[in-house]
Amino acid sequence: MVHFGIEFLANETADTLADMIRFSEENGIEYAWITDHYNNRDSFSLLTYIAARTTSIKLGTGVTNPYTRTAPQLASAIATVDETSGGRAVFGIGPGDKMTFENLGVHWTKPLQTVRETVEVVRRLTLGEPVSFDGDVISIKKAKLDLGSRSVPVYVGAQGPGMLRLAGEIGDGALVNASHPRDFEFAVKLLKEGVAGRDFSQFDVGAYTSFSVAGNRDEAVAAARPVVAFITAGSPPDVIKRHGIPEEDYSRLTSAFKDGFKQAVRAVTDDMISAFSICGTPDDCIGQIHDLTGAGVTQVIPGSPLGPDKKKSIQLIGKEIIPEFKEE
Ligand code: F42
């Protein structure tokens, strides 16, 4: 069974996001994930507002981090989303965006251990347990939330081998920032190692994809190009190599950024589009999603740009793409 989610950046007003997410819900999308960066709108406030304006879609941070918020704050915030939504919260957490932490004077130490301990504390606090915890990075004495007992699924945002293994070990699911089956062959192997003795079929492998769908393929590709320019330029060398992108194309793109964004967008090649996005007509996207599910993906999460017209794209996803996967 393949599930469909959708990702939104927290760079729109709460009203706009609530409208988009309600529309996603009406179009059969089951999960909405909101990104968390300190300089955008507060993701938990947004989720609480959206919770009151939707009825069935699950609502998650995609992803928050354990550095700009403490574990008890995270527990209280996600429990509030869960209470407001009638049990629809999902807790996405990752190590966070190192670059912005440096600007904030936040020390990004022991990311794996910090995520591991935070997940344990958040889980126990949201279940309503009294928590005393003496870890390597978290030390808590007799903390307890007064929000009842809430069981909120945990999804770990992961890319690196260590974080992927950890996601398998401690998560109910993972959110992997990738759009190509080759990346999931790499990721699923590590997630399985982490899940170890447990039943991997119960683990939700989320593909956080750059997605662009339109009735016309060229329009979909044009909308994807700016996002793909950023993703390609920000990808580590091993990922560029994994996708067979020629060194000279990659260098041309990164140096084009120095001349301006328009030049960079022009330097995006077809190889880059297919490595770093799901893109094209609904039929093109269906084919690419089949490739992802073949590689072990169980939740497809279309993200930026969605397409040249976001609402039309959501409708295409709901009316033309999701029905193809109803039986899987
Ligand atoms: N970041 C945000 O800040 N906001 C978002 O909204 C957001 C969304 C998002 C969605 C999906 C997704 O996959 C990632 C997302 N991210 C977002 C980014 C996320 O927070 C991470 O920055 C991103 O996933 C990169 O993390 P990573 O999996 O590559 O893990 C980092 C920590 C890493 O370097 N991992 C390596 C590894 O192998 O996994 C090395 C681990 C390491 O440093 N180990 C140390 C050591 O000594 O070996 C320390 C060990 C320890 O205990 O920590």
Side-chain angles (χ1 to χ4, degrees):
M1 175 73 182
V2 186
H3 299 278
F4 280 79
I6 192 159
E7 176 223 1
F8 287 102
L9 305 180
N11 62 358
E12 314 252 24
T13 65
D15 270 328
T16 304
L17 287 172
D19 179 47
M20 286 286 185
I21 292 175
R22 205 171 38 231
F23 192 63
S24 303
E25 178 178 82
E26 286 161 12
N27 277 281
I29 290 169
E30 295 167 79
Y31 292 79
W33 300 97
I34 304 271
T35 59
D36 187 17
H37 294 97
Y38 84 93
N39 54 329
N40 272 340
R41 290 171 183 78
D42 177 72
S43 54
F44 289 96
S45 309
L46 291 173
L47 287 169
T48 310
Y49 183 88
I50 294 159
R53 283 157 183 80
T54 50
T55 55
S56 62
I57 197 164
K58 294 189 174 75
L59 299 169
T61 42
V63 297
T64 191
N65 74 80
Y67 291 98
T68 54
R69 308 174 197 260
T70 64
Q73 280 179 312
L74 288 166
S76 167
I78 200 68
T80 305
V81 176
D82 200 56
E83 180 181 63
T84 314
S85 65
R88 289 185 281 135
V90 274
F91 181 61
I93 182 164
D97 180 359
K98 189 174 182 228
M99 299 283 276
T100 59
F101 293 165
E102 279 166 9
N103 299 345
L104 300 176
V106 171
H107 299 295
W108 202 63
T109 51
K110 298 191 175 180
L112 269 64
Q113 189 62 18
T114 305
V115 170
R116 176 191 289 282
E117 292 184 15
T118 303
V119 165
E120 179 172 347
V121 169
V122 169
R123 265 213 181 101
R124 290 175 56 192
L125 285 173
T126 48
L127 281 168
E129 289 180 18
V131 177
S132 293
F133 190 92
D134 186 19
D136 286 351
V137 289
I138 297 181
S139 176
I140 288 176
K141 274 193 201 125
K142 293 184 187 163
K144 188 173 179 315
L145 291 189
D146 292 323
L147 276 134
S149 177
R150 316 199 149 267
S151 175
V152 178
V154 174
Y155 284 68
V156 178
Q159 254 72 245
M163 193 56 74
L164 284 160
R165 265 188 225 103
L166 181 70
E169 187 188 333
I170 65 173
D172 298 288
L175 299 172
V176 182
N177 231 333
S179 307
H180 196 283
R182 228 172 272 139
D183 296 312
F184 284 93
E185 279 151 25
F186 170 84
V188 168
K189 182 176 163 288
L190 293 154
L191 291 170
K192 278 185 176 160
E193 285 175 21
V195 168
R198 290 182 296 134
D199 179 4
F200 191 68
S201 70
Q202 298 302 307
F203 189 88
D204 196 6
V205 180
Y208 229 68
T209 68
S210 168
F211 195 96
S212 183
V213 65
N216 173 298
R217 183 180 149 74
D218 291 345
E219 285 175 19
V221 172
R225 294 178 85 85
V227 180
V228 169
F230 277 116
I231 298 174
T232 311
S235 292
D238 58 321
V239 174
I240 296 294
K241 211 167 152 197
R242 187 186 299 156
H243 291 290
I245 291 170
E247 180 58 41
E248 59 271 24
D249 289 352
Y250 177 70
S251 307
R252 197 174 308 117
L253 173 75
T254 49
S255 46
F257 263 106
K258 291 175 201 132
D259 301 325
F261 185 53
K262 271 192 185 155
Q263 278 82 348
V265 170
R266 256 186 244 130
V268 169
T269 63
D270 289 350
D271 283 352
M272 295 172 190
I273 295 279
S274 70
F276 296 116
S277 71
I278 292 187
C279 181
T281 62
D283 279 348
D284 294 333
C285 295
I286 287 166
Q288 290 170 62
I289 293 171
H290 275 301
D291 293 344
L292 286 186
T293 60
V297 168
T298 51
Q299 184 177 159
V300 179
I301 306 165
S304 192
L306 296 181
D309 177 324
K310 283 194 197 329
K311 276 206 159 172
K312 277 191 190 150
S313 300
I314 293 169
Q315 216 164 17
L316 288 174
I317 293 168
K319 300 283 176 288
E320 299 198 25
I321 297 179
I322 292 178
E324 283 294 315
F325 296 90
K326 275 271 187 274
E327 300 307 316
E328 273 187 32

